[in-house]
Amino acid sequence: MTDEVRRSLRADASDNRTRILAVARAAFAADGLDVSMREIARRAEVGVATVYRRFPTKEALLAEAFAEPLALCSAVVEEGLAAADPWQGFSLVIEQLMQVHAVDRGFSDRFRSAAAYLTADRDRTLRLLLQLVQRAQRAGALRADFVVEDVILALMANDGIRAESPAARAAASRRLAALMLQSFRADPVRAPLPPPVRLPLPRTGGTPATRGR
Amino acid sequence: MTDEVRRSLRADASDNRTRILAVARAAFAADGLDVSMREIARRAEVGVATVYRRFPTKEALLAEAFAEPLALCSAVVEEGLAAADPWQGFSLVIEQLMQVHAVDRGFSDRFRSAAAYLTADRDRTLRLLLQLVQRAQRAGALRADFVVEDVILALMANDGIRAESPAARAAASRRLAALMLQSFRADPVRAPLPPPVRLPLPRTGGTPATRGR
């Protein structure tokens, strides 16, 4: 085998894996978890042996199909818990989760599927998140009436942002995250906000952004 | 004519008016502003004379079809401007607009149509909103780096809330509004928040709400 052929086979294998996972996610979401491995092979246009070579059991396929959003979320929360300063750790988590949700529009849906199917992983992530919240509250940095639902509220609020480009959406999300974090603090500060973004309420063409003074 | 017949005729007339407006909104939104009065009559299943009796010109129909969200928004902002205290006036506007958007899910779409079609009314509403913002900033109550786009950001954030019932959505929106307002203040305070709401991240059945301490 030449190097080129080898590279091409590796690329094929990786393409197959990605395609099978994408097809499986769509199939499970549309038709439930009973869709067979054979049916997934058919929809992915690969042989059933190829599916089994990548995912020895259906459980393995299910876990991989839905694991990514929860794994990412867990990793972010663990990073926040590892931060020396509880408030820094908490802020990092809010900022990163809001940014991921803003940049990748499919993330919220995949996250909800993951949370619905992988209940053990979801509960572990929620426990970590609760630790993060309680740690910041014990340090007196996070307001005492903050609850884990407020993280969900912030992520939902983030989901509502519409903007004319992915970059504008990310920028608007950064400003929203900064605003939310300033309201979450126990001892309020007024740190400068990330710059505002022009948002798509239809406007007359020539008007400059309508700013306060 | 008996009273009953008179009442029934009045009810019919009012039904027709409501139906024509609903059909016109849907038709203009789907097919643009060129849809004829005749076509609107056809879709509303009334005679074209009935349409002209209610709306003497197409401009009159257009204005009424889209006026309501902007008129409501203007009225709320004018009420805010009339409040003696600039911060109270500003808060009232944010709270009321977020509440209207949360309770009436179609409001945001109607508002966007109104803003797209009734540009003069929209610009007047934006000017009023800018006055409200500048008045609260001159009083030193609203942070200096607040811009009118932040009102839109708050309304978009509000749009992202999903909840299991209209009541839960309204409650979550109240909490979000209180959080946003605490971050908008120039001199931050920590007032108590409206109670948190359980939000629909899928959960294991028996787990109580996962709260911080």
Side-chain angles (χ1 to χ4, degrees):
Chain A
M1 253 195 293
T2 66
D3 276 1
E4 199 174 323
V5 170
R6 225 175 258 125
R7 263 197 304 276
S8 148
L9 280 176
R10 267 202 306 269
D12 260 16
S14 145
D15 282 358
N16 275 344
R17 186 184 172 78
T18 308
R19 184 155 76 244
I20 292 166
L21 278 173
V23 165
R25 271 183 211 115
F28 293 143
D31 304 316
L33 301 191
D34 286 341
V35 179
S36 68
M37 294 288 263
R38 180 168 300 276
E39 176 60 19
I40 284 165
R42 196 188 64 74
R43 296 190 194 178
E45 298 175 7
V46 298
V48 71
T50 303
V51 174
Y52 277 105
R53 198 159 49 238
R54 303 278 158 239
F55 306 98
T57 64
K58 184 155 158 196
E59 285 61 43
L61 174 59
L62 262 176
E64 282 239 32
F66 293 115
E68 166 253 347
L70 276 175
L72 189 145
C73 188
S74 275
V76 167
V77 178
E78 275 167 357
E79 200 187 331
L81 279 167
D85 180 85
W87 175 256
Q88 290 302 325
F90 174 82
S91 314
L92 189 87
V93 169
I94 297 291
E95 283 163 1
Q96 291 197 357
L97 290 183
M98 286 178 73
Q99 212 36 219
V100 169
H101 280 250
V103 169
D104 175 355
R105 290 307 262 183
F107 190 86
S108 293
D109 283 340
R110 297 205 309 281
F111 184 85
R112 277 192 282 278
S113 296
Y117 294 131
L118 306 179
T119 54
D121 289 358
R122 172 200 69 196
D123 290 348
R124 182 173 166 274
T125 306
L126 282 172
R127 274 195 304 275
L128 287 173
L129 195 56
L130 185 58
Q131 280 177 35
L132 183 84
V133 165
Q134 289 174 331
R135 178 172 174 252
Q137 284 177 325
R138 271 195 307 270
L142 178 60
R143 53 192 303 159
D145 56 359
F146 185 94
V147 296
V148 167
E149 273 79 4
D150 290 321
V151 179
I152 304 174
L153 186 60
L155 291 176
M156 284 183 174
N158 197 51
D159 272 351
I161 297 175
R162 293 163 304 104
E164 275 154 18
S165 68
R169 199 161 55 221
S173 168
R174 271 192 294 274
R175 188 160 170 107
L176 182 63
L179 284 164
M180 301 294 301
L181 281 170
Q182 293 193 20
S183 67
F184 290 160
R185 283 188 71 112
D187 53 332
V189 291
R190 281 297 168 261
L193 296 173
V197 184
R198 187 131 174 197
L199 294 168
L201 175 71
R203 286 266 164 74
T204 40
T207 323
T210 44
R211 309 196 162 205
R213 65 172 170 201
Chain B
M1 252 195 296
T2 66
D3 277 1
E4 199 173 322
V5 169
R6 226 176 259 125
R7 264 199 302 277
S8 151
L9 280 177
R10 268 204 304 270
D12 260 16
S14 144
D15 282 358
N16 275 344
R17 187 184 172 77
T18 309
R19 186 157 73 244
I20 292 166
L21 279 173
V23 165
R25 269 182 212 115
F28 293 144
D31 303 319
L33 302 191
D34 286 341
V35 179
S36 67
M37 295 288 262
R38 182 168 298 277
E39 176 60 19
I40 284 165
R42 197 189 63 75
R43 294 191 196 178
E45 299 175 7
V46 298
V48 72
T50 303
V51 174
Y52 277 104
R53 199 157 50 239
R54 305 275 157 242
F55 305 98
T57 63
K58 185 154 157 196
E59 285 62 41
L61 174 59
L62 262 175
E64 282 240 30
F66 294 115
E68 167 252 346
L70 276 174
L72 189 145
C73 188
S74 276
V76 167
V77 178
E78 276 166 356
E79 198 186 333
L81 279 167
D85 180 85
W87 175 254
Q88 290 303 323
F90 174 83
S91 313
L92 189 87
V93 170
I94 298 291
E95 283 163 2
Q96 290 196 357
L97 291 183
M98 286 178 73
Q99 212 38 216
V100 169
H101 280 250
V103 169
D104 174 356
R105 290 308 262 182
F107 191 85
S108 294
D109 284 339
R110 297 205 309 282
F111 184 83
R112 276 191 283 277
S113 297
Y117 294 131
L118 306 179
T119 54
D121 289 359
R122 172 200 68 196
D123 291 348
R124 182 173 166 273
T125 306
L126 282 173
R127 275 196 303 274
L128 288 173
L129 196 55
L130 184 58
Q131 280 176 35
L132 184 84
V133 165
Q134 289 174 332
R135 179 172 174 250
Q137 284 177 325
R138 272 196 305 272
L142 178 60
R143 54 191 303 158
D145 56 358
F146 186 92
V147 296
V148 168
E149 273 80 4
D150 290 322
V151 179
I152 304 174
L153 186 61
L155 291 177
M156 284 182 173
N158 198 49
D159 273 351
I161 297 175
R162 293 163 303 103
E164 275 154 17
S165 69
R169 200 161 55 221
S173 169
R174 271 192 294 275
R175 189 163 169 105
L176 181 62
L179 284 164
M180 300 295 299
L181 281 170
Q182 293 192 22
S183 67
F184 290 159
R185 283 189 71 111
D187 53 333
V189 292
R190 280 297 168 262
L193 296 173
V197 184
R198 188 133 171 193
L199 295 168
L201 175 72
R203 288 265 166 74
T204 37
T207 322
T210 45
R211 309 194 161 207
R213 62 170 170 202

